[in-house]
Amino acid sequence: MTAGAPEPDMREAASEARQEMYDALRLFHTHVQQTTALLLGIITTVFVVFGFALDRNQENQALSVEVVHLGGAILVLIAPLALLSVSIIGRYYLLYVSSLYFAATISRLAQLPAHPWFDDVPEEPSKKDPWIRSRTFGRGHSLFLYSLMLWLLGASGLISGIFVFLSF
């Protein structure tokens, strides 16, 4: 082994730390994708049912109004589902950012070539917690943007549900 080369187990630890970082990011993105698909699927299904219910004639009018009110209740419940989802993806993103910090620290200890993702990770341990908080909850990062998208879906469901209740 040459002088200055990292120990084989440090290389392995750095590789495993990077893999954990990628796995945490994949977990975050998977949850965002599935939650978005679920919310959009619920909204689409409710509006399809509305289309059938609003094509009512005189003998089905009472049933159609009940179906529309049930759809409105489902749309209103999208807002709490979006709130819960934002909380869950926040935890997943915090896990990813913590894994990013850990992977950068291990890679530096192993003296591996720098990775572009690690450029903004602080080397001083005293800056770890503020950096993790700002990277997790700061504007312009993935959590902020995906949370905004889920909040907008939740708000659209809430507003649509209220509109349905007030209209019928």
Side-chain angles (χ1 to χ4, degrees):
M1 201 156 150
T2 61
E7 296 290 324
D9 50 315
M10 283 300 286
R11 279 186 185 273
E12 186 176 322
S15 176
E16 289 174 7
R18 279 193 302 272
Q19 186 59 48
E20 287 179 17
M21 177 189 72
Y22 294 134
D23 290 344
L25 185 60
R26 190 175 303 112
L27 180 67
F28 167 73
H29 280 132
T30 299
H31 189 79
V32 168
Q33 289 170 346
Q34 291 176 352
T35 300
T36 304
L38 175 67
L39 293 178
L40 288 173
I42 291 171
I43 291 170
T44 303
T45 302
V46 167
F47 281 112
V48 165
V49 171
F50 281 173
F52 289 120
L54 293 177
D55 186 28
R56 58 186 169 199
N57 51 34
Q58 292 300 336
E59 64 261 2
N60 290 343
Q61 187 171 6
L63 180 62
S64 295
V65 170
E66 288 178 15
V67 168
V68 169
H69 283 158
L70 177 64
I74 291 170
L75 286 174
V76 167
L77 292 175
I78 286 178
L81 182 60
L83 173 68
L84 177 66
S85 296
V86 166
S87 175
I88 291 170
I89 68 167
R91 291 182 179 269
Y92 287 156
Y93 197 72
L94 179 62
L95 176 67
Y96 158 67
V97 172
S98 299
S99 298
L100 174 66
Y101 182 85
F102 181 69
T105 303
I106 294 295
S107 292
R108 288 178 185 140
L109 289 174
Q111 299 174 349
L112 294 175
H115 189 285
W117 283 16
F118 301 154
D119 288 346
D120 68 334
V121 177
E123 293 185 29
E124 301 84 25
S126 64
K127 294 182 179 180
K128 175 186 81 164
D129 290 337
W131 179 83
I132 288 176
R133 274 193 304 278
S134 70
R135 175 70 190 250
T136 301
F137 303 112
R139 296 181 91 187
H141 292 292
S142 295
L143 177 62
F144 175 78
L145 299 173
Y146 286 130
S147 295
L148 180 63
M149 178 185 66
L150 292 176
W151 279 114
L152 289 174
L153 283 172
S156 67
L158 180 65
I159 291 168
S160 298
I162 290 171
F163 177 74
V164 166
F165 277 123
L166 296 178
S167 296
F168 289 93

